[in-house]
Amino acid sequence: MTDSTNTRRTHGHSFLGGSHDENARRTRSVVALTLIMMIGEITAGYLTGSMALLADGFHMATHAGALGIAALAYSYARRNSENRAFSFGTGKVGELAGFASALILALVSLGIGIESAFRLIHPTGVAFGQATVIAAIGLIVNIVSALLLSGAHAEHGHHAHEPHHHDRHGHAHGTDNNLRSAYVHVLADALTSVLAIVALLAGRYLGWVWLDPLMGIVGSIVIARWAWTLMRDTAAVLLDKTDQHVADEIREILSSHGDTEIADLHVWQIGPEARAAIVSVRAHGALTAETIRSRLAPVHEVRHLTVEAT
């Protein structure tokens, strides 16, 4: 007997996650803050002739672009959440935006690393006092932005530098990688500001001019690592990598009854807090697909279930 219906007879395909709208609002606020800081720095740079201000302003523009992608992804996903042109909804739009942001972050780290290496070999004059003020203002903006994002980010139990946590059943908690990408961009900006402040103070008071480009290289390596981690995680979702923890629980539940044999099993992520599953079983005796479905009801991550019983 084959039954390819979903867990619910009448169901939608909106798998955006419970915090989608709140995360979107927070991200838009951070985009506004970043744009204001970017415009202020570029304007001040032109008026004062400060290359340090201009450079930091255009650097912030790349992050504003990445954060803008995150904000647009939230809007697009919400607007098309019930669009049947998307077979499993738009819950993975955030993963696509997160992957794009990770690429931008990787390019930013590469640019910082190359420029820092060049300045380490060919030192240039640095207006330590002015540059320190710029870095301090940037850090304040980044702290405010991080506070806006961290509340929602912490609800998922993840940080950019931490491994995924699992609950007592071994499941990964829902991760909004679109929000995570915005959070990583803010962390990257904050890191560069902190390293810059340390290096600039050392250069001003200790004469360690070489520390400024060295800190730039250190920062670029850390940012590159964050970019790679984000790229790896979002690519796994985009390529429908098996959610092994959910798949293992499904196998454990079905094998515990002793009257079924799994012929085929597919489990993949379709939203921050949602998984889809296709389960094909060989039943030993009169066992219906509805019975199998009821046995799998405790697997709360599975929001779209297809069962085939033969």
Side-chain angles (χ1 to χ4, degrees), residues 22-215:
E22 174 64 14
N23 294 350
R25 184 187 65 78
R26 291 171 185 260
T27 302
R28 286 194 297 270
S29 298
V30 172
V31 170
L33 269 176
T34 305
L35 285 173
I36 291 170
M37 183 66 188
M38 178 197 77
I39 293 171
E41 286 191 340
I42 292 176
T43 302
Y46 275 116
L47 293 176
T48 63
S50 169
M51 284 306 297
L53 274 172
L54 283 174
D56 200 52
F58 284 114
H59 169 241
M60 188 160 280
T62 62
H63 289 292
L67 291 167
I69 290 173
L72 287 173
Y74 279 122
S75 176
Y76 184 86
R78 170 56 69 194
R79 195 166 59 250
N80 292 277
S81 61
E82 297 295 344
N83 186 341
R84 295 208 174 263
F86 298 94
S87 296
F88 288 97
T90 54
K92 288 165 66 173
V93 169
E95 307 297 328
L96 184 59
F99 187 84
S101 291
L103 286 176
I104 294 173
L105 198 64
L107 291 175
V108 168
S109 71
L110 182 63
I112 293 173
I114 292 173
E115 178 65 19
S116 298
F118 180 80
R119 293 195 179 191
L120 191 62
I121 298 171
H122 304 286
T124 58
V126 179
F128 292 110
Q130 184 185 49
T132 303
V133 172
I134 296 166
I137 294 172
L139 180 59
I140 292 170
V141 171
N142 290 323
I143 289 173
V144 173
S145 298
L147 290 174
L148 281 170
L149 294 175
S150 62
H153 188 72
E155 290 172 6
H156 299 287
H158 295 292
H159 290 284
H161 55 281
E162 293 179 354
H164 294 281
H165 300 289
H166 303 280
D167 62 22
R168 61 189 179 87
H169 298 295
H171 299 151
H173 295 292
T175 304
D176 185 340
N177 279 322
N178 194 29
L179 180 74
R180 182 180 165 204
S181 70
Y183 189 68
V184 170
H185 275 279
V186 170
L187 284 182
D189 259 344
L191 174 69
T192 55
S193 295
V194 170
L195 293 178
I197 290 170
V198 172
L200 290 167
L201 290 175
R204 183 176 184 178
Y205 295 107
L206 300 176
W208 295 356
V209 180
W210 51 268
L211 191 59
D212 182 59
L214 184 62
M215 284 295 194

Side-chain angles (χ1 to χ4, degrees), residues 222-285:
V222 175
I223 294 169
R225 181 179 178 277
W226 287 344
W228 164 249
T229 301
L230 182 58
M231 208 178 303
R232 179 196 63 199
D233 293 346
T234 52
V237 177
L238 291 172
L239 294 173
D240 295 330
K241 184 178 179 180
T242 299
D243 188 321
Q244 200 60 53
H245 298 280
V246 177
D248 286 345
E249 186 176 1
I250 289 175
R251 289 192 182 93
E252 182 182 346
I253 290 173
L254 294 181
S255 63
S256 66
H257 290 82
D259 55 0
T260 58
E261 179 185 344
I262 296 178
D264 196 18
L265 175 62
H266 301 276
V267 182
W268 69 100
Q269 182 172 326
I270 54 177
E273 301 164 10
R275 307 293 183 270
I278 299 175
V279 184
S280 178
V281 299
R282 298 188 187 94
H284 306 312

